[in-house]
Amino acid sequence: TDPVIGPDGTVYLGSNNGILYGLDPDSGEVRWAFPTGFDVFDIYSTPAILRDGSLVFGAKDGKVYAVRPPTAGLLGELRWSVDLRTTIETSPAIGPDGTVYIGADDWKLYAIAPPEGTTPARVKWSFQTQGDMISSPAVGPDGTIYFGSMDGKVYALQEPAPGQREPRVRWTFSSGSRGKTGGFENAPALDGTGRLVIGGNDGLVYALNAATGEKLWTFKSGFSEYGIFSSAALGPDGTVYIGPKDGFLYALRESRGLFGTSGKAVWKYRIGTTIETSPVLAPDGAVYLGADNGKLYAIAPPATGDAGRLLWEFQTRGTLISSPVIGPDGSLYSGSMDGKVYAFHDTKRGRSSQGPLAGTWYGSVTLGGQEQKLTLVLAQRQSRIDGVLRLQ
């Protein structure tokens, strides 16, 4: 998953081992951990932070969890959970009233109401699409829920009218195809001008009117099957930054010509390998992006010409699927499939003071004549050791 920065600076992210970690932003020490029910390719869902400080996310075990830091020890506190009885690969979005919106592998978008008084968390409604739900939803300032589906459509939904149980479809937009040549796998991006930007598996970047679904312009990248996994980053000047599977980072702007309006690359940078992460834009204009070759790139706009400038690159030992995130102090965080989380700071920070037992450990134990897998997360501070044990 992508890292998420908590109000106190804690860096949160979920792992393929089915554990959500909360890490110290300076040292990387584990502040707390929460295990889910699966232990293989389990958490694809980047957490969202609720108003009460809880983190909500979905997991491959079919549950949507809301957890918060423990008052003592290392085990995160489960505030509530809802079992959707299907695997979950998308990340949640939070509505103005606290409703949690999340897509699931039964091709549905779910609206979940957190607990209120003695009423437990519950599914308020669900909306059926005709394709896999890999695109995470986004919520507009007026509460409209936007998301894409592998059925080749982008949907804009509103909460049910009073007395109704089904959400209202504000509009739909179709790419004209579905699946590998027309489905949507990335999350829509919204800006303050009423524009929605999303990339399709057909390799097209679509800019839509968020109010009506009208197509404003498109830009064609180099692939036409499974073309864009990257969600767009939108700059304050209207520039769209996106990294399709053709191996380029593009900076796009609207261009008006004799034959209508289109998207135009004002500059680009050739990475030369498949890109599955989303770019993040820094206040100084630098763009950070990870690639399938395991490298994290820092790229600046060109001083002249149309080719971006490489500021630096950093090699990890695994594919980069986790998109980088910038903290409030300018620190950069990224996860890698090599099993590590990386933090980049402008100045030297405190190193971990934990002992040699600290970390995540894997093994097995024989109980009742049967071998059971176990995962153990340990934090060692001087003579004190806290742990979270999951017996599978």
Side-chain angles (χ1 to χ4, degrees):
T1 74
D2 303 343
V4 171
I5 313 298
D8 63 350
T10 301
V11 179
Y12 298 103
L13 75 171
S15 169
N16 279 343
N17 64 9
I19 295 174
L20 179 77
Y21 292 91
L23 306 177
D24 183 280
D26 292 334
S27 67
E29 293 180 356
V30 176
R31 287 182 170 177
W32 60 273
F34 180 83
T36 65
F38 278 18
D39 64 352
V40 178
F41 294 117
D42 183 52
I43 306 178
Y44 289 7
S45 180
T46 296
I49 300 177
L50 300 175
R51 281 178 290 191
D52 67 355
S54 301
L55 286 97
V56 62
F57 65 100
K60 285 290 197 73
D61 63 9
K63 292 182 180 179
V64 178
Y65 293 93
V67 298
R68 57 188 172 194
T71 55
L74 204 66
L75 177 62
E77 177 188 341
L78 176 64
R79 181 168 176 257
W80 56 263
S81 68
V82 173
D83 191 352
L84 300 184
R85 302 184 183 278
T86 183
T87 51
I88 302 167
E89 297 183 63
T90 73
S91 304
I94 312 300
D97 63 351
T99 299
V100 177
Y101 302 101
I102 193 166
D105 285 357
D106 59 1
W107 302 5
K108 291 181 181 179
L109 181 81
Y110 287 87
I112 299 172
E116 186 174 0
T118 59
T119 304
R122 59 185 175 86
V123 174
K124 293 169 55 179
W125 52 261
S126 63
F127 179 82
Q128 181 73 63
T129 74
Q130 299 303 309
D132 287 334
M133 291 287 295
I134 303 172
S135 168
S136 299
V139 179
D142 63 353
T144 302
I145 309 110
Y146 303 94
F147 63 97
S149 170
M150 288 293 280
D151 63 10
K153 292 182 179 180
V154 180
Y155 294 87
L157 304 183
Q158 293 181 312
E159 280 284 336
Q164 301 294 316
R165 303 180 64 180
E166 298 291 329
R168 294 172 286 173
V169 179
R170 185 173 179 181
W171 55 258
T172 62
F173 171 82
S174 176
S175 68
S177 185
R178 58 184 298 147
K180 66 180 182 179
T181 59
F184 294 95
E185 301 196 40
N186 55 84
L190 301 165
D191 64 12
T193 67
R195 183 180 57 165
L196 179 151
V197 179
I198 191 169
N201 277 347
D202 56 7
L204 291 176
V205 180
Y206 293 90
L208 308 178
N209 184 316
T212 65
E214 174 191 4
K215 182 171 65 177
L216 302 176
W217 55 262
T218 62
F219 173 83
K220 185 171 180 57
S221 65
F223 279 20
S224 58
E225 292 185 358
Y226 295 119
I228 304 177
F229 288 180
S230 172
S231 297
L234 306 182
D237 61 353
T239 303
V240 175
Y241 301 90
I242 197 165
K245 296 286 283 292
D246 64 6
F248 283 90
L249 168 68
Y250 292 99
L252 309 176
R253 289 186 191 152
E254 182 179 299
S255 176
R256 299 180 184 272
L258 294 175
F259 301 101
T261 302
S262 64
K264 178 183 178 182
V266 293
W267 63 268
K268 61 185 178 180
Y269 180 81
R270 185 180 184 275
I271 289 176
T273 187
T274 303
I275 300 168
E276 298 183 66
T277 72
S278 303
V280 61
L281 180 64
D284 64 358
V287 183
Y288 300 101
L289 183 70
D292 280 8
N293 60 3
K295 287 184 179 181
L296 183 68
Y297 294 86
I299 302 163
T304 59
D306 62 356
R309 297 178 292 119
L310 179 67
L311 298 175
W312 54 261
E313 61 185 42
F314 180 85
Q315 181 72 63
T316 75
R317 294 190 177 185
T319 298
L320 291 181
I321 302 172
S322 171
S323 301
V325 169
I326 300 174
D329 65 350
S331 297
L332 185 73
Y333 304 95
S334 179
S336 171
M337 290 291 281
D338 64 7
K340 293 183 179 179
V341 185
Y342 295 86
F344 303 87
H345 306 300
D346 285 336
T347 57
K348 189 174 182 180
R349 303 291 181 88
R351 292 185 174 274
S352 175
S353 60
Q354 297 201 90
L357 292 180
T360 304
W361 301 81
Y362 305 90
S364 61
V365 62
T366 301
L367 295 175
Q370 291 187 335
E371 187 177 67
Q372 307 285 340
K373 292 190 295 182
L374 62 84
T375 307
L376 183 62
V377 181
L378 294 178
Q380 183 180 1
R381 299 173 181 89
Q382 297 179 348
S383 60
R384 177 184 176 89
I385 299 177
D386 290 314
V388 173
L389 171 66
R390 179 182 60 194
L391 192 62
Q392 194 76 15

